[in-house]
């Protein structure tokens, strides 16, 4: 793939997050997209294929597909095959509710597919409080089916106040399935806006989690926790937000956003029904803003090379201000007022 730079972004994203439907058979209390019922105007099968064609022409390497629940779409397996035929690797996040031996058998024949199975507790008591009564057993049954068909998958958890004490158990569970454990960050978007206050990890847990990550360097996080990770882990992956630079998000109705956690009106770059994906990637004013976003108050921080200001989505959802630092940065844990005007200078208008 070409890595030539256009401005401060690549000529094409390395990965794209695709929320392929908002329809879901669960109502998880921390759902980033508030999924449940399908939207009336979700992309048709042909529109999805056309989008894959555009990504193929740009040599996008990987598409990360979520929802909603992707497998709830009747055309989803056909769309996966079409992406693979065009050389695109797919990573699919699923709640596991529709995975049985038959579906696992079909998935085993797809060679460019990787699954992330969502689980939010090592026990039914914890998981079901977040994902719904009876889901723990059904998720375990789904993973049994996948393992029996040798379908590669990881166990994906969103770090919460409730499952934090179970990290070692979850790691051991993943190991038992010969699967990776992937820990994602809780962000207050979607239904997470309402549940963050009682479900989000507290300060002490996040500080302890930093040490735990350093001791378990085979646990995957993507770039979720770059503001918490050690220098050793930073060297192994991204050290800054990739939104609009290396990745972006497509909604079920074709809206394009910098990332999945900023699917809000101010961050709408455009719609693929109205403009070509490449045109949006190259020329969107929203993407231009993110490619030139600097949290100046962080420049003198001793952790700047590790954190780079952290996650803009966390700043926006916490303060409605992209110019402020990530509120869960290790340094900010000691700050009493992140809105102090002298300490935190404005670098862009409020969004």
């Amino acid at each position: 793939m070409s890595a030539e730079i256009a401005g401060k972004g690549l000529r094409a994203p390395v990965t794209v997050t695709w929320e392929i439907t908002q329809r879901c058979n669960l109502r998880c209390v921390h759902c980033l997209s508030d999924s449940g019922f399908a939207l009336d105007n979700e992309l048709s099968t042909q529109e999805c294929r056309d989008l894959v064609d555009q990504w193929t022409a740009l040599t996008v390497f990987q598409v990360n597909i979520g929802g909603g629940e992707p497998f709830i779409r009747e055309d989803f397996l056909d769309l996966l095959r079409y992406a693979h035929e065009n050389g695109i690797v797919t990573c699919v996040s699923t709640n596991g509710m529709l995975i049985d031996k038959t579906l696992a058998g079909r998935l085993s024949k797809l060679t460019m597919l990787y699954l992330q199975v969502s689980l939010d507790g090592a026990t039914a008591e914890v998981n079901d409080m977040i994902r719904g009564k009876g889901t723990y057993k059904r998720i375990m049954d789904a993973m049994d089916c996948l393992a029996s068909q040798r379908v590669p998958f990881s166990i994906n958890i969103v770090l919460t106040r409730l499952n934090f004490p179970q990290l070692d158990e979850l790691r051991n569970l993943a190991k038992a399935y010969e699967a990776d454990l992937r820990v994602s960050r809780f962000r207050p978007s979607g239904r997470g806006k309402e549940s963050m206050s009682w479900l989000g990890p507290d300060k002490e847990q996040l500080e302890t989690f930093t040490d735990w990550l350093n001791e378990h360097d085979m646990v995957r996080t993507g770039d979720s926790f770059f503001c918490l990770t050690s220098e050793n882990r930073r060297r192994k992956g991204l050290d800054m937000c990739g939104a609009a630079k290396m990745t972006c998000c497509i909604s079920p109705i074709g809206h394009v956003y910098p990332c999945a956690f900023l699917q809000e009106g101010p961050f709408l770059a455009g719609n693929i029904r109205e403009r070509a994906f490449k045109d949006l990637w190259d020329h969107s004013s929203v993407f231009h803003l993110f490619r030139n976003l600097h949290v100046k108050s962080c420049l003198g921080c001793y952790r700047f090379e590790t954190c780079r200001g952290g996650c803009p989505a966390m700043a926006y959802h916490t303060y409605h201000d992209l110019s402020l630092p990530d509120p869960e940065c290790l340094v900010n844990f000691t700050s009493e007022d992140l809105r102090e005007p002298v300490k935190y200078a404005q670098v862009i208008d409020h969004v």
Side-chain angles (χ1 to χ4, degrees):
M1 189 197 76
S2 173
E4 294 180 43
I5 302 297
K8 290 192 177 181
L10 299 178
R11 289 184 58 186
V14 177
T15 64
V16 173
T17 296
W18 190 6
E19 304 288 309
I20 202 166
T21 182
Q22 194 157 311
R23 185 181 173 193
C24 192
N25 42 17
L26 295 183
R27 300 294 185 274
C28 302
V29 298
H30 59 3
C31 179
L32 73 92
S33 57
D34 195 15
S35 63
F37 299 100
L39 301 174
D40 292 337
N41 56 342
E42 293 188 355
L43 297 179
S44 67
T45 300
Q46 187 56 52
E47 287 175 318
C48 290
R49 291 168 69 96
D50 290 345
L51 191 52
V52 169
D53 289 341
Q54 293 183 58
W55 291 331
T56 302
L58 293 173
T59 61
V60 170
F61 173 69
Q62 179 172 305
V63 177
N64 301 321
I65 306 174
E69 170 52 44
F71 288 107
I72 218 163
R73 280 190 64 135
E74 294 180 357
D75 60 357
F76 185 55
L77 285 181
D78 289 335
L79 290 173
L80 281 179
R81 294 189 189 98
Y82 188 71
H84 299 166
E85 289 168 1
N86 283 275
I88 296 177
V89 175
T90 58
C91 179
V92 177
S93 295
T94 176
N95 61 31
M97 296 299 102
L98 298 177
I99 294 179
D100 55 18
K101 289 184 178 179
T102 299
L103 179 54
R106 292 174 179 171
L107 296 176
S108 69
K109 296 178 173 60
L110 302 178
T111 58
M112 300 178 72
L113 170 70
Y114 192 79
L115 288 182
Q116 292 180 353
V117 180
S118 296
L119 178 72
D120 282 308
T123 61
E125 179 184 12
V126 171
N127 176 85
D128 292 6
M129 190 178 300
I130 300 170
R131 306 194 70 81
K133 186 177 180 180
T135 56
Y136 180 82
K137 182 182 184 307
R138 294 180 67 181
I139 295 167
M140 297 297 291
D141 289 344
M143 293 194 297
D144 288 341
C145 291
L146 293 172
S148 69
Q149 297 295 321
R150 300 185 181 280
V151 179
F153 68 92
S154 64
I155 295 176
N156 187 76
I157 73 166
V158 174
L159 186 67
T160 67
R161 196 169 304 183
L162 302 180
N163 63 30
F164 172 81
Q166 298 183 328
L167 283 172
D168 286 332
E169 294 174 69
L170 287 162
R171 179 174 173 272
N172 291 335
L173 178 64
K175 186 176 180 180
Y177 278 100
E178 297 184 351
D180 291 327
L181 176 65
R182 187 178 189 275
V183 184
S184 294
R185 188 175 180 187
F186 194 123
R187 292 179 175 90
S189 63
R191 285 196 288 273
K193 293 179 181 179
E194 301 298 324
S195 58
M196 181 73 170
S197 60
W198 62 270
L199 189 58
D202 60 32
K203 169 186 171 182
E204 289 73 22
Q205 288 176 330
L206 287 171
E207 288 178 320
T208 304
F209 180 64
T210 301
D211 296 330
W212 188 87
L213 271 182
N214 197 37
E215 295 170 0
H216 300 89
D217 62 356
M218 296 304 291
V219 173
R220 301 170 63 187
T221 62
D223 63 355
S224 299
F225 292 101
F226 48 70
C227 69
L228 298 177
T229 54
S230 66
E231 175 67 17
N232 181 52
R233 285 186 65 93
R234 186 189 69 82
R235 289 196 299 266
K236 298 179 180 180
L238 291 176
D239 63 355
M240 62 182 294
C241 172
K245 305 178 190 77
M246 298 181 67
T247 187
C248 64
C249 174
I250 314 295
S251 82
I253 60 174
H255 283 346
V256 182
Y257 299 96
C259 85
F261 298 98
L262 287 173
Q263 295 184 65
E264 310 250 344
F267 307 108
L268 176 60
N271 189 285
I272 57 95
R273 284 171 167 151
E274 300 168 358
R275 294 172 63 184
F277 178 82
K278 179 172 175 52
D279 184 33
L280 291 170
W281 178 260
D282 287 345
H283 303 298
S284 162
S285 59
V286 171
F287 283 11
H288 179 74
L289 182 151
F290 273 78
R291 289 166 187 165
N292 291 277
L293 180 62
H294 298 287
V295 183
K296 289 187 177 180
S297 58
C298 295
L299 293 178
C301 177
Y302 74 96
R303 296 194 80 247
F304 178 74
E305 291 302 321
T306 300
C307 178
R308 302 293 181 91
C311 174
M314 285 297 295
Y316 175 75
H317 289 299
T318 304
Y319 309 114
H320 295 286
D321 191 340
L322 290 178
S323 70
L324 295 180
D326 190 318
E328 291 181 348
C329 175
L330 288 175
V331 176
N332 288 335
F333 282 155
T334 63
S335 300
E336 294 182 0
D337 185 5
L338 294 183
R339 281 196 171 276
E340 182 181 349
V342 175
K343 186 175 182 181
Y344 293 96
Q346 298 293 313
V347 292
I348 61 169
D349 293 334
H350 287 192
V351 175

